[in-house]
Amino acid sequence: MSDATPVTLRRDLRYACPDGAVEVMARLGVDANSDYFTDQSWEHTHPYTEDRHAHLPAYLVLLADGELSDEGKRALGSFVFHSLEDAYRFIAPTDETWQFAQGTIRLTLLTLWRDRSIHGWEFLYWACWDRQIEELHEDPDEWFMLTRVLRLEQQFDLSTLITEP
């Protein structure tokens, strides 16, 4: 862990919650009364999240639809971030779909960025904002694939999501 100066999230940034996930899953036709939404692991254990990258198109349709509550949008954003990370891991850089996938990932992140007051916490989490950028080069296995995109590209001014201590 880094000895960087701690940062404080803006007060309006919140975590995704099971209630939002229930709303998203209901919109996808999944039984909202299942046991998958009873604990903190809801974003990892639901069958709909196992092959998350395969479900990205359905998530993107919901994202474009925009008819979710803020909690639903937060949960959907969590699913989308997980799906994008999985997509990076499952598509080899030599694969002919690599350029298309990278473009899709960036476009999706930019779409989420437009609603950063909803998805801000996810941006900071996946960017590993609590770590020094130099650590990215020292131990790349400790980082998400999305971290590089979020930390090294100019489109995402993550500093707007924090307040100085």
Side-chain angles (χ1 to χ4, degrees):
M1 192 53 95
S2 141
D3 57 1
T5 304
V7 295
T8 304
L9 293 177
R10 288 187 353 215
R11 292 185 186 270
D12 62 327
L13 299 182
R14 298 199 334 243
Y15 304 108
C17 69
D19 289 343
V22 168
E23 179 184 357
V24 170
M25 289 299 137
R27 290 288 307 275
L28 294 170
V30 177
D31 181 12
N33 294 316
S34 70
D35 292 334
Y36 294 107
F37 300 106
T38 59
D39 61 23
Q40 189 65 29
S41 63
W42 59 267
E43 62 186 328
H44 303 290
T45 60
H46 194 279
Y48 211 90
T49 63
E50 286 177 1
D51 292 318
R52 292 178 293 233
H53 66 289
H55 299 294
L56 186 57
Y59 297 154
L60 294 179
V61 168
L62 276 181
L63 185 64
D65 183 31
E67 294 186 19
L68 292 169
S69 68
D70 286 353
E71 292 304 323
K73 288 177 184 177
R74 242 177 233 105
L76 178 61
S78 178
F79 291 152
V80 169
F81 272 97
H82 281 94
S83 297
L84 294 175
E85 180 70 13
D86 288 355
Y88 258 125
R89 295 188 185 283
F90 286 109
I91 299 173
T94 56
D95 191 318
E96 62 187 42
T97 61
W98 179 247
Q99 291 298 325
F100 176 77
Q102 282 196 310
T104 301
I105 289 168
R106 283 176 172 77
L107 180 61
T108 303
L109 288 171
L110 287 169
T111 301
L112 290 169
W113 183 250
R114 280 189 232 130
D115 211 359
R116 60 188 159 275
S117 64
I118 298 290
H119 305 293
W121 186 88
E122 291 287 340
F123 273 96
L124 292 175
Y125 173 79
W126 289 96
C128 298
W129 190 253
D130 60 335
R131 307 282 297 272
Q132 292 289 335
I133 192 68
E134 293 78 23
E135 294 176 68
L136 174 62
H137 305 294
E138 293 171 12
D139 193 359
D141 293 334
E142 291 291 315
W143 297 76
F144 301 114
M145 300 297 286
L146 291 175
T147 303
R148 289 165 182 77
V149 175
L150 296 172
R151 292 289 289 270
L152 301 177
E153 294 198 10
Q154 299 293 321
Q155 295 100 327
F156 309 105
D157 183 3
L158 300 172
S159 67
T160 63
L161 302 175
I162 60 170
T163 58
E164 296 301 323

